[in-house]
Amino acid sequence: MAASFPEHAMADSGRLLSRVAPVSGKGSPAQQTRQAIEALWKRDREAQIVKLRVFVNDPSVSSAVSTAIAEAFQKKHAALPVVSLIRVAALPAGASVAVEATSLAKRDVNPQGIGFISGQLTSAPKESNADAPVKALAEKSVASLKSVVASIGSAPGRVARVTCFASSLSDYAEVKSLLAAEFSTADLNIVRIQKNAENREIECEAVTALDRAPKGPAEIVNPTQAAFAQAALVNTPKFLLTGLATASGDPQVGVKTVFEKLAATLKSAGS
């Protein structure tokens, strides 16, 4: 029987931890999942994992990965987390699974709140080589990230996690080194989004602790009134984390369906 994970979890911005488990190509997808979760628990022994974002490079392994998550938490007698399974084209190190975790620490680690920075997309026309490197594009995406980080009252050394969605992993090591140099304390995750992307591109998002509290429990930062906000700032002991809402078919209808699903989830949580 497929595992039934909660649709939402209550979180406290002051206690929020954003982690990336080490990736490994050793073992089956289920084994890689268990190893990742064990590494997360070992790192933050007293923290409670409330959400997992799991990237897989093959949709056929989704059931095995879900089962492995459920069994690991049941064995530990821990409450099941919210789980979002996301299919990507490829992962580093020959891995089949990459796991990100949102956890709650026992004490405050972000007294001024937390900032969720949206993806900073940089793209260029596709080259004949489908595996064309993206480091030059990553440099621009990172520069945009750093600009947003500064504007919301944070600093590169306060960034907890950076996730990059790239059209190629051919220069994965170089891109990771760039990220590590700019965000020395952050956990890093880089995935390939599509096998045949229309353009060379990379989009990096981040989660960062704030050094300046936002204007209220939540604040949307969108100085240019663009289609997408640059960041969402949260400083409250109670806010909801939801799972992934999906839809298929016509894109316009699908977008509406996704927001209806999210609205239903929020309503069921009393929000």
Side-chain angles (χ1 to χ4, degrees):
M1 180 180 294
S4 179
F5 297 102
E7 295 182 343
H8 56 80
M10 189 66 71
D12 176 350
S13 63
R15 296 162 51 208
L16 209 71
L17 300 171
S18 296
R19 306 299 199 197
V20 179
V23 294
S24 171
K26 297 180 180 179
S28 67
Q31 290 172 324
Q32 292 179 27
T33 302
R34 286 191 290 269
Q35 291 165 5
I37 292 171
E38 289 294 337
L40 292 165
W41 277 328
K42 183 177 181 179
R43 178 176 178 182
D44 300 305
R45 295 184 182 277
E46 296 185 348
Q48 176 192 1
I49 296 175
V50 293
K51 181 176 179 178
L52 293 175
R53 186 163 71 161
V54 184
F55 298 91
V56 297
N57 65 357
D58 182 350
S60 68
V61 308
S62 296
S63 178
V65 168
S66 295
T67 299
I69 295 170
E71 289 177 349
F73 278 78
Q74 289 164 359
K75 183 178 180 180
K76 194 177 177 65
H77 302 291
L80 290 178
V82 174
V83 175
S84 293
L85 280 172
I86 302 172
R87 180 188 177 186
V88 294
L91 296 166
S96 300
V97 179
V99 180
E100 296 180 351
T102 301
S103 305
L104 295 179
K106 286 288 187 181
R107 58 179 180 82
D108 272 5
V109 290
N110 316 301
Q112 301 300 319
I114 199 94
F116 299 92
I117 302 174
S118 61
Q120 304 299 302
L121 175 64
T122 307
S123 61
K126 184 178 179 180
E127 297 180 355
S128 57
N129 179 7
D131 291 325
V134 295
K135 183 186 175 184
L137 298 176
E139 291 173 345
K140 296 179 181 180
S141 183
V142 165
S144 296
L145 268 185
K146 290 176 67 178
S147 177
V148 177
V149 165
S151 73
I152 63 176
S154 188
R158 300 283 281 153
V159 174
R161 182 175 75 204
V162 177
T163 303
C164 294
F165 303 89
S167 57
S168 169
L169 295 180
S170 63
D171 54 348
Y172 165 79
E174 290 84 352
V175 172
K176 187 175 182 181
S177 293
L178 167 68
L179 295 172
E182 298 291 350
F183 306 105
S184 59
T185 61
D187 284 14
L188 308 174
N189 191 18
I190 307 168
V191 303
R192 183 175 181 176
I193 47 175
Q194 293 176 313
K195 288 185 178 179
N196 297 299
E198 293 184 2
N199 299 301
R200 287 190 301 124
E201 59 188 25
I202 188 166
E203 184 172 10
C204 297
E205 63 180 30
V207 181
T208 185
L210 301 176
D211 292 323
R212 181 179 70 232
K215 302 172 183 177
E219 178 185 351
I220 300 299
V221 178
N222 190 4
T224 62
Q225 299 303 307
F228 301 98
Q230 287 185 338
L233 314 182
V234 182
N235 186 27
T236 175
K238 289 186 178 182
F239 76 101
L240 283 176
L241 297 170
T242 69
L244 189 67
T246 62
S248 58
D250 180 82
Q252 291 186 343
V253 176
V255 169
K256 181 180 178 182
T257 300
V258 163
F259 279 101
E260 288 174 347
K261 288 181 177 179
L262 288 173
T265 298
L266 294 176
K267 184 178 180 180
S268 69
S271 177

